[in-house]
Every structure is written in structure tokens, then in C-alpha cells.
Amino acid sequence: MRLKTAIAALLLILVSAGPARAQLRIDITGARTAPMPIAIPSFAGGTAEEARIGREITMVIRNNLANSGLFRNLDEAAFIQSMRNVDVRPNFNDWKAIAAQALAHGEVTQDPATNGLRVSYRLWDVFAETNLDSKAMTGGADAWRNIAHIISDRIYERITGETGYFNTRIVYIAETGPATRLVKRLAIMDQDGANQKMLTDGSYLVLTPRFSPNMQQVIYLSYINNNPRVFLLDLATGNQQALGNFPGMTFAPRFSHDGRRVVFSMERNGNTNIYDMDIASREVRRITNRPGIDTSPSFSPDGRQIVFNSDRSGRQQLYVMNSDGGNVRRISWGEGRYATPVWSPRGDYIAFTKMLRGQFYIGIMHPDGSGERLISRGFFVEAPSWSPNGRLVIFYKKDRMQGMHQRTRLYTVDITGYNEREIPTTTNASDPAWSPLLQ
């Protein structure tokens, strides 16, 4: 039995199943809501080092939740109760007095013998005075940031009802140098911009990296000795292999839903068609066979369909077809040109780039072409990619060129079009792709 009560534009759902439990709920499926006030005291620690790690963990959690646009961190200076022990039950009146609707607190302990780390946390519904979540996690001394992202995901999921996206990574193209001598390297970072690392040395051009949907593998296009080749990189082992040498120019590789196949476009005899390859056997088959340019293919989550863009109608538009190339139908009918479509992991939307009257847009539409909505615009915006929960889109944006230099940065935006924000990078950055959740 569920009892729904509106509280400050948020949805409070009381769920009775086994032990009595109340769950605060932010309804993110409808209209925009005010951010939920949440109190997150610095995680406690018995030693100075444990307390330092606790503060670092707390800061990551606070930043993650605030950056989602769904939570508002309350000022720790206003806290009345000091949460020094994770097992102490909160004095809920103290937290109600500062208008906290949720409370998350924790404790850090170290094991000097193993150099290990244990982090315990609890999440409380302040109004219902019930525990929503409890978890103890262990890891190495350097695992604290990963643990902070896991806790952030648990808080996000318990309160929104949707899977989180914080314990993820983003692969992208790091760009340095003037426009006439641009160096492009493959790079990776945490979703919040931390732990940035270069994966290639810049001695050859790299483009369009894409994550496998279920493994920590990246596929990308490289130009070694000006020869375009598709490479597969295993991030866990560092092993890299070429998927094959193709006679024509190859573009826009992407994984299938199960990570077993790669779909891409290839130019032969003046025409660009879509092909797919079985990674294990290296068997390649052509899917489209039309004059003109068919490119930017992306599988649906169930693997049964592919969205792509084509100029077969005389102007770039979006099309959907069965994965074997049958039942092709156009889905974009608005003004302008459409490009770089990518299917949401939830299957409910397709993100795309749109060019109209000298302006660039990032948009989304349903797979049947209905519900088109433009969620970002700029002098140049391009290359949308989805968060693993299908809630956010990441893309890159270029400013107008200033002399020989141009600012190119990564941004995320909610599918509602709200909460657009820049992801900090140490260099110019383009062609982002989001990883699945880390284990």
C-alpha cells in the first residue's frame, strides 16, 4: 500500500513491505521540481587520517548530488546534531529544524595491517524518521573516491527510483595546439572530471571513441600513417588490437547492445554504406546499399534496430531500420539537417545533432520521430552520448574561434533541457562517450 503526500514539490512515498520503511521520492518523470534539501555531515573518523578521508568522501558525494540538479546540500554550519558514530540514531527534530528532508552520514576506519579502508554509511528519511539505506564497503587505501561514487549512486537511486550514473568514466578526445596543428589524443576521466589520463601519446590522430555497453572496452578510429583503422582497447589490461584493415574510409564505429558486434560506415567507390562486424570471427557484412552517404549508425538497446543518418532524401535526415537492413523508415521531419544519432540505453529516446539557420542544437526524439525536443544550442555543438541510466546527454561545444585557438569543452544536460553544466578538462575536449556503471 502506498500513501502519496506532496511535500515542497517533492513526492513522499510511504512503502510498507516487511519492515516499515518510508522513502522520499523525487519525481523526475514530470515537470521540473525544486532540488531536495539534503544534509550530509562530514563522514566521521577516529584518527586524523580517517577524518581527512571522510571529508574527501563527503565532498565527492555532495558535489555529485548537487551536480545532478536534483539535490541541494544544506550548510554544515547549520547542523545541530553532530553525527560522530554511524550507528547512532539521528535526533530527527534537529534535522527537521533546518528543513532537511534527507540525511546521509557515515564513518571511515582503516586497517593499518592491510592498508585497507572500510566505509559505512546510512541514509535517512527525516520526516518519516526511517532508515532508507545502509551499506558498509571495503577497499584499498586509494578506493575512497570509487566508494564515494557508489554511495552517491545509492542515494540517487533510493530517492529518485532510477539507477545512478556517478560511478562511471568518460572517454574523450583531448585536443592541444593551434587549429592548424591540432594534436588529438585518446583520454579518460571519472564522470566528474577527476583522474584524467591520456591513453595515446598524440603521435597519430584518434577520433570517435565509444564504450562497450557491458564491458570496460573502448572502440575508436585511428589514423596511423594516415591509414584509418578501427581499434579495440581493453581498459583493464591495456591490450589493444586492430579490428581489421578496410579498403575505404571508415567512420563512426559503435558497439552492439551485447558488445559482440561493431557497426560502422565505410566508403567504397564513392558511396558510404553501413556495415557490421562480428568481433570474434571478424566477419563483415554490408547492411545498407544505396547511393549517397549512410553513416553514424547506433543500435537500439535490444539490438533489433539501428538508427542512422543519410542524405538519401537530398538532405541529412534520421532513419531507423531493422538490424539486418530491412524496414527502413525516416523519423526526422523537422526543418534543418540531422546528424550523429545515438539510441538511449533505456530505448525511449534518440539523441541527435541538428543544424538549422546557422545554429547547432542537441536534441532528442522518440524512436518513431515524435516528441522532438531541443535541449542545448550553441555556435557548434556535436556528438551526443548518453549516461548509462538514460537521464543525461553529454556532448561537446565549440566557441567562436579567437585567432588560431578555439575553446572546445564537454557539457552534460538533463533530458528536460535543464541543468546544463561543463565537465572540467585540462585540455580542449571533444567526442565524449559514457561508460557503463563500474562494478
Side-chain angles (χ1 to χ4, degrees):
M1 177 179 179
R2 294 191 173 188
L3 178 63
K4 299 183 179 180
T5 307
I7 298 179
L10 302 170
L11 193 61
L12 175 63
I13 300 180
L14 301 178
V15 182
S16 177
R21 169 176 154 173
Q23 186 178 22
L24 280 174
R25 180 61 58 88
I26 299 176
D27 182 4
I28 60 177
T29 63
R32 188 185 183 196
T33 61
M36 173 182 286
I38 186 170
I40 312 178
S42 293
F43 281 29
T47 68
E49 179 63 9
E50 290 169 350
R52 183 193 68 79
I53 296 172
R55 290 191 296 271
E56 297 280 5
I57 289 173
T58 306
M59 187 59 65
V60 171
I61 297 171
R62 289 173 180 168
N63 288 341
N64 280 339
L65 297 179
N67 287 339
S68 75
L70 300 175
F71 297 87
R72 176 171 61 87
N73 290 303
L74 295 176
D75 188 351
E76 194 163 10
F79 297 172
I80 300 170
Q81 184 182 14
S82 178
M83 305 299 292
R84 297 297 183 187
N85 188 320
V86 73
D87 294 322
V88 171
R89 183 176 174 82
N91 182 345
F92 290 105
N93 287 334
D94 287 347
W95 301 102
K96 292 175 186 177
I98 61 171
Q101 295 188 18
L103 166 67
H105 65 108
E107 188 173 3
V108 177
T109 56
Q110 290 179 298
D111 183 352
T114 63
N115 199 31
L117 194 67
R118 177 183 172 87
V119 180
S120 302
Y121 114 101
R122 295 185 188 276
L123 175 66
W124 301 88
D125 179 337
V126 173
F127 286 97
E129 302 186 3
T130 55
N131 181 231
L132 297 180
D133 190 33
S134 299
K135 180 71 173 178
M137 287 155 280
T138 59
D142 59 350
W144 64 267
R145 179 175 285 276
N146 181 251
I147 290 173
H149 289 318
I150 292 173
I151 293 173
S152 303
D153 281 328
R154 293 180 70 93
I155 295 171
Y156 183 96
E157 182 172 353
R158 295 306 183 274
I159 295 181
T160 69
E162 295 195 356
T163 305
Y165 59 90
F166 303 115
N167 194 30
T168 57
R169 295 186 287 182
I170 292 168
V171 67
Y172 64 100
I173 301 300
E175 301 180 353
T176 54
T180 54
R181 297 190 305 275
L182 200 60
V183 176
K184 294 192 173 189
R185 291 178 288 176
L186 187 64
I188 195 169
M189 63 183 175
D190 294 352
Q191 57 79 29
D192 58 357
N195 295 326
Q196 296 184 32
K197 177 183 177 182
M198 300 298 168
L199 299 175
T200 60
D201 61 9
S203 60
Y204 52 90
L205 180 67
V206 291
L207 297 171
T208 60
R210 301 291 180 252
F211 262 104
S212 168
N214 53 13
M215 294 177 287
Q216 292 301 309
Q217 292 181 327
V218 173
I219 192 170
Y220 66 96
L221 181 64
S222 78
Y223 285 76
I224 299 177
N225 298 323
N226 293 321
N227 180 31
R229 302 170 73 189
V230 177
F231 279 85
L232 179 66
L233 173 64
D234 189 310
L235 294 172
T237 65
N239 292 334
Q240 179 173 276
Q241 57 178 310
L243 290 184
N245 292 312
F246 306 104
M249 186 71 74
T250 308
F251 305 92
R254 283 191 187 274
F255 284 98
S256 64
H257 67 294
D258 56 10
R260 296 178 180 178
R261 291 184 293 158
V262 172
V263 65
F264 56 94
S265 55
M266 183 164 57
E267 184 272 332
R268 285 185 177 178
N269 302 321
N271 291 331
T272 300
N273 284 294
I274 294 172
Y275 297 74
D276 80 347
M277 169 190 279
D278 182 279
I279 293 177
S281 69
R282 298 296 200 269
E283 180 182 354
V284 177
R285 64 170 180 161
R286 184 170 59 189
I287 300 177
T288 63
N289 187 16
R290 288 285 300 261
I293 299 175
D294 295 342
T295 190
S296 301
S298 174
F299 277 101
S300 62
D302 62 9
R304 296 178 179 177
Q305 300 179 87
I306 293 173
V307 63
F308 65 102
N309 73 260
S310 174
D311 64 356
R312 61 182 62 190
S313 67
R315 186 173 60 181
Q316 276 181 285
Q317 298 292 338
L318 303 186
Y319 294 80
V320 169
M321 63 183 172
N322 296 345
S323 59
D324 62 0
N327 191 26
V328 179
R329 61 268 190 202
R330 178 175 165 180
I331 64 169
S332 62
W333 297 94
E335 293 184 87
R337 295 181 291 127
Y338 295 77
T340 62
V342 56
W343 220 302
S344 163
R346 297 195 300 200
D348 53 350
Y349 286 110
I350 290 169
F352 57 86
T353 303
K354 184 172 184 174
M355 295 142 279
L356 177 64
R357 300 189 185 97
Q359 191 76 244
F360 281 74
Y361 300 86
I362 299 295
I364 60 174
M365 66 172 64
H366 294 299
D368 62 0
S370 65
E372 178 176 331
R373 182 163 69 244
L374 302 178
I375 58 177
S376 183
R377 62 181 290 178
F379 168 72
F380 185 92
V381 292
E382 176 64 284
S385 177
W386 290 94
S387 63
N389 68 351
R391 184 68 200 181
L392 285 84
V393 175
I394 188 170
F395 59 97
Y396 75 94
K397 180 185 293 189
K398 286 185 180 181
D399 296 336
R400 292 184 183 274
M401 184 172 288
Q402 304 292 328
M404 293 297 294
H405 296 275
Q406 190 167 37
R407 189 177 188 274
T408 307
R409 290 293 190 268
L410 305 184
Y411 290 80
T412 60
V413 65
D414 190 88
I415 58 175
T416 60
Y418 292 108
N419 195 36
E420 182 175 310
R421 68 182 191 90
E422 182 181 335
I423 306 297
T425 53
T426 55
T427 67
N428 279 344
S430 63
D431 282 338
W434 221 312
S435 81
L437 280 171
L438 299 172
Q439 301 300 316

